[in-house]
Amino acid sequence: MTSTAAAVAGILADAGIDRVFGLPGGEVLVLMDELRRAGVDFVLMRHEANAGLAAAVYGKLRRQPGVVLTTLGPGAANLMLPIANAYLDLEPLLAISAQIPDDFPASHTHQLLPLHDAYRPMARYVEKIDRANVFDVVPQALANCLTRPYGVSYLTLSAREALVPAATGAARTVATTDRSRDGAGAQADALTTALGGANRPLVVIGLGIDTVNSARIRRWVSAWNLPVAVTPKVKGIVDETAANFVGVAGGMAADGVLCDAIAAADLVVGFGLDPVEIDKTWHAERPIHWVLEAPNAGGVVPPGVALVDHAALLDALLGQAPPRSWPAPFKEFQDRRARLLTDRAEPAGTMWPGDIVQALASVMPAETIVTTDVGSHKYLFGQYWPSREPETFWMSNGLSGMGYGISAAIGAKLARPAAPVLAAVGDGGFSMNAQELETADRVGAPFITVVLEDGSYSLIKISQAGKKLPPYRTEFGPIDTVKMADACGVAALRTTNPDELASAARRAVDERRSLVIAVPVDDAHYTRMF
Ligand SMILES: Cc1ncc(C[n+]2csc(CCOP(=O)(O)OP(=O)(O)O)c2C)c(N)n1
């Protein structure tokens, strides 16, 4: 007889899930053991939120749901951040937690939380697994995560039900939504006509593009020499070192320049553009020629827009000659953007933030996966890290939740063991989950962490000053980054010398080992770039 827990484990293993991330409690031990027996590794982390964030990145890179498993009550409550993140950052996440069995006495309220009610608004599929429904519910949950836009499924399984024999059956086959191939030719013609009438067109590529179409969209924007911008979460979909790259739109450094460029465009093509990444309202205030393959976050499709298969549309465009040429209409904005990085203030005892990006970019291979946490450093790396390959840049931007950088680095390194991984984090975010450095080493996921030390929640401090409020409680005392890394068993150094930063990072890549590099920065310098 197969227990319900064994059935869950078998379905996940058959679906190609080889790792589940989490932190256990007594109520999930049986399921964990069944996962082990099914050949699914349990990646033991030090906080459920970090486990969920890592799982989602791992899953998205492998084009399957990331799976996180927690106990009931507090462990399940700690899933709020990764579920919210996967919901707004469109990452495929299957979260499973334990729950109090239904037949416990009503007076048993210990650790009882309304988990389904808590997560239903963000998860598109929420169910309680039981012996009778397991072969239906688990495949449905997996398929829902991969239905675009990617998202969250949430399942509970009580420790009691886990042990009960499952009803006999086989896992149901559930298809994810297919893309309509209709209308690609007509939409290609409409876009060509619109471009033919534009002097300053700007293609803004967003989170709604599938990276399988990276080669096609690169060919198109380069063959037609179209000016192109991207939103942060699709950095690398086009080569950001190419001459037609205008910048990263969506609240990063130099946002004023990008907003000015968008305002100066006489045609904005929103290619998979999802406003979930945009913190201003230009997406609603100016006409956009939408080219969407799937609904945007929250299931939104702009009025009158028909979804279209991007591959078919790009193939149709590639079969045509460009309707005209556009000789660098955004050069002035590209120059302004570049100057903000290089017009350096003279740092005293710190490193110019722009030097950090440039030093690291000069030595890290193009296939390096960069993750960031949330704060000023995200704005810096989001705008200026020169992403060259798809799926090589990961940040929380729909939610913008701190704690992402190190967790995402673990998920990314496990998914792409051959690629160097670099996490750029602030000292505030680092102190939220630096303990996962021990996890990374233990599970064989070494990466480089660069901690930009400014002794403050600098993005918030800058915002405080911008609102003309007095500085108040946005600075914190020092925690020695080097000692924290050392305590987790990871080598570390501190430097304000760009050459030393670059050579230390390169050595760690060559030696395939973890390294933490603390870099003192002056938070006032960020304001020159924002
Ligand atoms: C979980 C969470 N809490 C609070 C915030 C608000 N917030 C955004 S940026 C930021 C400052 C981050 O400080 P740090 O990690 O040191 O990075 P820095 O801004 O200094 O680069 C804060 C508190 C958030 N985005 N996420």
Side-chain angles (χ1 to χ4, degrees), residues 374-377 400-402 426-429 432 454 456-460:
V374 174
S376 299
H377 62 281
S400 294
M402 289 170 70
D427 45 0
M432 271 187 173
D454 52 22
S456 72
Y457 295 115
S458 75
L459 191 64
I460 307 307

Side-chain angles (χ1 to χ4, degrees), residues 479-492:
I479 299 178
D480 192 324
T481 302
V482 173
K483 284 189 183 153
M484 269 175 95
D486 186 54
C488 295
V490 173

Side-chain angles (χ1 to χ4, degrees), residues 25 60 71 82 84-85 112 150 160 176 184 189 370 379 391 430 432 434 447 502:
K60 191 163 181 191
T71 192
N85 192 77
L112 179 63
Y150 289 162
R160 189 176 280 185
T176 52
D189 290 345
V370 175
Y379 285 21
E391 298 181 326
F430 185 67
M432 271 187 173
F447 59 87

Side-chain angles (χ1 to χ4, degrees), residues 353-414:
D355 287 350
I356 302 175
V357 173
Q358 295 186 92
L360 290 167
S362 69
V363 290
M364 301 298 284
E367 69 272 19
T368 301
I369 296 180
V370 175
T371 71
T372 73
D373 214 75
V374 174
S376 299
H377 62 281
K378 174 178 111 166
Y379 285 21
L380 171 72
F381 276 77
Q383 184 61 262
Y384 289 116
W385 181 263
S387 299
R388 284 152 283 176
E389 294 187 9
E391 298 181 326
T392 57
F393 198 94
W394 293 77
M395 67 161 65
S396 171
N397 205 35
L399 180 68
S400 294
M402 289 170 70
Y404 188 84
I406 286 183
S407 311
I410 292 174
K413 185 66 188 178
L414 289 174

